[in-house]
Amino acid sequence: MKNVFFLIGLLPLLLFAQHSSYERDKNIIEGFFREALIQKTAYEDLRYLCKKIGHRLSGSVGADKAVKWTSQRLKEHGADTVWLQEVMVPNWKRGNKEIAKIVNGKNLTICALGNSVPTPFEGITAEVIEVFRIEQLDSLGREKIQGKIVFFNRPMDPTFINTFRAYGGCVDQRSSGASEASKYGALGVLVRSMTLSLDNYPHTGSVNYQSFSKPIPAAAISTLDANYLSEQLKKNPKLQVFWKQECKMLPDTLSHNVIAEIKGAEFPEEIILVGGHLDSWDKGEGAHDDGAGCVQAMEVIYLFKKLGIKPKRTIRCVLFMNEENGMKGALKYEEEATKNKEKHIACIESDRGGFTPKGFQIEGGYSNEEIIRKWYKLLEPYDLYKIVEGYGGLDISPFRKHKDVLLMGLEPDSQRYFDYHHADTDVFEAIHPRELELGAASLATLVYLLSEYGTNLR
Ligand SMILES: [Zn+2]
């Protein structure tokens, strides 16, 4: 009986404690958004990364400069420690601008796919066979394919609301098309650019050569010229295309992941990772992909330090190298973390463009309800309560094998992402400062809540 009275006596105190932690959390989150939207630190960092450094393909001068500058900048943002992690990366060079034209006809706008082999020095002049699915190659057979250029022309499906699903439904042409066509004696593949917009920009991306066939050259063709070529082939199936590209793969070269940390005050051994990838394609300025994710993750460090918030758990910003054409940085990071017995409790990635955040995707059987129930009132004012089961991101995916690590990805609006993805259009001007900053503050919010309460969401 006495115990019951004791507990009843304690109740107002418990309610007060809960209320005051809610008020404190609410104020801190308000602070993140206010500071991000007024100071625009991520946006100004992105301006430097895009305009002073530019694109950052693994092994390039730009990638090197970006490693040095971001590590310096993270020190200025107040990180307790900043260090570089060595990693060997592929070193692919595009070389002189690619040429393609219909023989006795118009030029075609193309660009080599990343990691592609070159055409022979004198170029390829050959007939073209249009296909829409890899499975079609089998029925066409060597007879119809040998000695020709295979033209993969399946467009992204415009009816998917999430454009990443449309991308996922098409990208096999780009990644596997060359190896599959090579089996039947094709000389090379031209692949319709992975974009929903009709324009004259080719969109690169990596081609993956399989050991079962000889590597043949691969290039992306702009969507407008893909349509044009398709029409011309209907009129004249015997037309020929001339195509020359000089790209080459050099030996692997030394590069770095950039890592910055704020040590946790109560559970320093528990790490919450937030990151993006520092490398980009050698097209545009790598603004949406993934300069945006990098400067947002950097701003998380800035916001904690600027607002004087001491996280309970360790916060680690990681800028991964080589996501685009090898993923070597991500693999190296997880390998080292495992070797050093580091305890990552959560990994959060931002690599879907710097657009208005809509929420987060979460892996591993957690559901939105668990988080919503816990933090709904805090997240709702920022439209951040949509947390759906899905995909964290490529750079944190090596952590999937550790069953107790929570993997999450920032999910921005996806409608315009593939207008810019891997193309000359992916420049600083394509980023809206408020959209980018809302993403940075959203990441800081999630990192803060996980660092306060851990990942035991159930
Ligand atoms: Zn990316």
Side-chain angles (χ1 to χ4, degrees), residues 277 289-290 323-324 351:
H277 64 86
D289 190 13
D290 181 26
E323 188 264 1
E324 295 293 4
D351 185 19

Short mmCIF file of all heavy atoms in Angstrom, two decimals, residues 277 289-290 323-324 351, ligand 1:
data_model
loop_
_atom_site.label_atom_id
_atom_site.label_comp_id
_atom_site.label_asym_id
_atom_site.label_seq_id
_atom_site.Cartn_x
_atom_site.Cartn_y
_atom_site.Cartn_z
N HIS A 277 28.02 10.63 -50.54
CA HIS A 277 29.28 10.29 -51.23
C HIS A 277 29.91 11.51 -51.89
O HIS A 277 29.24 12.31 -52.53
CB HIS A 277 29.12 9.13 -52.20
CG HIS A 277 28.21 9.35 -53.37
ND1 HIS A 277 28.63 9.93 -54.54
CD2 HIS A 277 26.89 9.06 -53.56
CE1 HIS A 277 27.62 9.98 -55.40
NE2 HIS A 277 26.55 9.46 -54.83
N ASP A 289 23.87 14.90 -56.95
CA ASP A 289 24.45 13.55 -56.77
C ASP A 289 25.96 13.67 -56.62
O ASP A 289 26.67 13.68 -57.61
CB ASP A 289 24.06 12.67 -57.95
CG ASP A 289 24.41 11.22 -57.74
OD1 ASP A 289 24.74 10.84 -56.60
OD2 ASP A 289 24.37 10.45 -58.71
N ASP A 290 26.49 13.70 -55.42
CA ASP A 290 25.77 13.75 -54.17
C ASP A 290 26.39 14.85 -53.30
O ASP A 290 26.55 14.69 -52.10
CB ASP A 290 25.83 12.38 -53.47
CG ASP A 290 25.07 12.35 -52.16
OD1 ASP A 290 24.13 13.15 -52.01
OD2 ASP A 290 25.44 11.57 -51.28
N GLU A 323 31.40 5.99 -54.68
CA GLU A 323 30.10 5.32 -54.75
C GLU A 323 29.72 5.02 -56.20
O GLU A 323 29.12 4.00 -56.50
CB GLU A 323 29.03 6.21 -54.11
CG GLU A 323 27.67 5.53 -53.95
CD GLU A 323 26.69 5.82 -55.07
OE1 GLU A 323 27.03 6.54 -56.04
OE2 GLU A 323 25.58 5.30 -55.02
N GLU A 324 30.11 5.93 -57.11
CA GLU A 324 29.59 5.85 -58.48
C GLU A 324 30.15 4.68 -59.29
O GLU A 324 29.42 4.06 -60.03
CB GLU A 324 29.86 7.16 -59.22
CG GLU A 324 29.12 8.37 -58.65
CD GLU A 324 27.61 8.29 -58.83
OE1 GLU A 324 27.11 7.28 -59.33
OE2 GLU A 324 26.94 9.27 -58.46
N ASP A 351 21.36 10.48 -50.32
CA ASP A 351 21.87 10.34 -51.69
C ASP A 351 20.73 10.21 -52.68
O ASP A 351 20.73 9.34 -53.55
CB ASP A 351 22.81 9.12 -51.77
CG ASP A 351 23.47 9.01 -53.14
OD1 ASP A 351 23.49 10.01 -53.88
OD2 ASP A 351 23.95 7.91 -53.49
ZN ZN B 1 24.65 9.23 -55.67
#
